[in-house]
Amino acid sequence: MPELPEVEVSRMGIAPHLEGQQIAQAVVRDKRLRWPIPDAVVNFAGAFIKQVERRAKYLILHTDKGYLILHLGMSGKLRVVPSESLVVKHDHFDLQLTNGQCLRFNDPRRFGCVLMSATHPGVDHPLLRDLGPEPLTESFTADYLHRQSRGKQQSIKTFIMDNHVVVGVGNIYANESLFKAGIHPKRAAGKVSLARYQKLVPIIKEILTAAIAQGGTTLQDFTQADGSPGYFKQHLNVYGRGGKQCMVCKSLLKEIRLGQRSTVYCTTCQR
Ligand SMILES: [Zn+2]
């Protein structure tokens, strides 16, 4: 499943091909995605694309006729290809441009979506309006996290993965960040001190930034057949390493399910 860094790299990959361009037509081959693609999407014909923005894992195309919202779901891929290029299975949607290129959306598992909004969806759209801050902005701070967590009994790991608290801290990133910060994933969020949040927040930012930087090396793929930045092969300390030795203290890493997600930690290094 594409995580925030993959979506940000998708944005970086498609934006230069879309910004400033005019839409010739929106072509819906199969509207049955997570939510049906609205019929009114054809009204984007003639619109100019001003900006491609990312909010959480949504891509928002700003045009002079409103906003187009894209989500990659579990298996969605975006690529920029000539409009007349061969359509393959699961190519559900095209945004064809007047310059002969198109943004093509392929999604075998159909958990992605293509939606529209007359006003900026970050403010008004039910899917986006209640999201927490972006992790890589100045509004995501230790003070903020500390304040939000007071009185919360839920585990710190579940807490930082909650999109209403902060967006984009997926399971891999939550596991790795808590290991680096030395915080036990099951510790109650409300019992984590400000000093420990001051350690955790820069680590989350650093891990996400490194993943985006690494993904940036795959940018050329967006105009090629595959179009997927894939999973960024990062150095992982704990995720996927349950039962193996901790790279710091050599204890065996423990693996549990927490909120139905695989959680790996070191009982010595994380408290
Ligand atoms: Zn350890």
Side-chain angles (χ1 to χ4, degrees):
M1 174 160 56
E3 294 287 350
L4 183 143
E6 286 86 1
V7 179
E8 176 60 17
V9 169
S10 293
R11 188 199 67 75
M12 289 157 60
I14 63 174
H17 301 282
L18 300 182
E19 288 174 354
Q21 297 296 329
Q22 187 179 24
I23 297 168
Q25 58 174 343
V27 177
V28 180
R29 295 193 189 83
D30 194 336
K31 65 161 88 170
R32 297 169 301 164
L33 297 180
R34 180 163 188 182
W35 296 283
I37 301 177
D39 294 332
V41 82
V42 298
N43 296 337
F44 279 100
F48 283 90
I49 302 169
K50 294 187 280 189
Q51 190 195 341
V52 183
E53 181 194 5
R54 180 191 55 73
R55 174 73 175 108
K57 296 204 285 183
Y58 295 92
L59 292 171
I60 304 168
L61 274 58
H62 298 221
T63 83
D64 55 355
K65 290 189 171 185
Y67 300 83
L68 197 64
I69 308 164
L70 299 167
H71 194 286
L72 301 177
M74 307 283 284
S75 59
K77 287 173 186 175
L78 288 168
R79 65 212 151 101
V80 177
V81 293
S83 295
E84 71 272 20
S85 67
L86 192 68
V87 169
V88 299
K89 203 174 176 187
H90 310 303
D91 278 345
H92 304 309
F93 178 78
D94 268 9
L95 201 60
Q96 300 184 349
L97 307 174
T98 55
N99 69 359
Q101 295 289 105
C102 85
L103 178 70
R104 188 160 284 174
F105 182 64
N106 181 289
D107 187 4
R109 296 187 61 187
R110 299 171 182 277
F111 282 102
C113 68
V114 178
L115 296 169
M116 51 195 290
S117 177
T119 54
H120 192 284
V123 179
D124 292 319
H125 200 278
L127 289 172
L128 286 92
R129 66 185 172 206
D130 298 325
L131 295 171
E134 286 289 324
L136 298 177
T137 60
E138 284 177 7
S139 50
F140 179 55
T141 63
D143 281 336
Y144 164 80
L145 219 45
H146 182 252
R147 209 164 49 241
Q148 292 290 314
S149 64
R150 291 310 89 184
K152 294 261 167 76
Q153 299 300 312
Q154 68 184 138
S155 73
I156 178 71
K157 180 164 180 261
T158 311
F159 177 69
I160 59 173
M161 288 180 66
D162 180 348
N163 272 335
H164 298 103
V165 174
V166 57
V167 301
V169 185
N171 194 38
I172 296 176
Y173 305 115
N175 275 292
E176 293 298 316
S177 301
L178 290 170
F179 174 77
K180 273 199 167 175
I183 301 173
H184 195 295
K186 280 168 84 176
R187 179 172 287 276
K191 298 262 172 66
V192 175
S193 68
L194 178 59
R196 302 189 87 191
Y197 279 121
Q198 283 167 342
K199 190 163 186 200
L200 177 63
V201 165
I203 288 171
I204 291 173
K205 290 176 189 270
E206 182 190 302
I207 287 178
L208 290 172
T209 303
I212 293 167
Q214 206 149 11
T217 60
T218 69
L219 277 180
Q220 69 279 7
D221 291 344
F222 283 84
T223 53
Q224 293 173 5
D226 178 13
S228 164
Y231 275 103
F232 304 153
K233 289 191 184 65
Q234 315 184 61
H235 171 73
L236 299 176
N237 284 298
V238 286
Y239 184 79
R241 297 193 66 246
K244 294 190 174 134
Q245 279 190 338
C246 171
M247 292 182 185
V248 174
C249 74
K250 308 275 190 253
S251 308
L252 295 187
L253 296 173
K254 192 165 179 185
E255 179 161 14
I256 57 167
R257 305 292 287 182
L258 200 57
Q260 283 132 42
R261 306 302 299 274
S262 164
T263 302
V264 185
Y265 61 100
C266 176
T267 51
T268 309
C269 296
Q270 291 172 261
R271 287 164 189 280

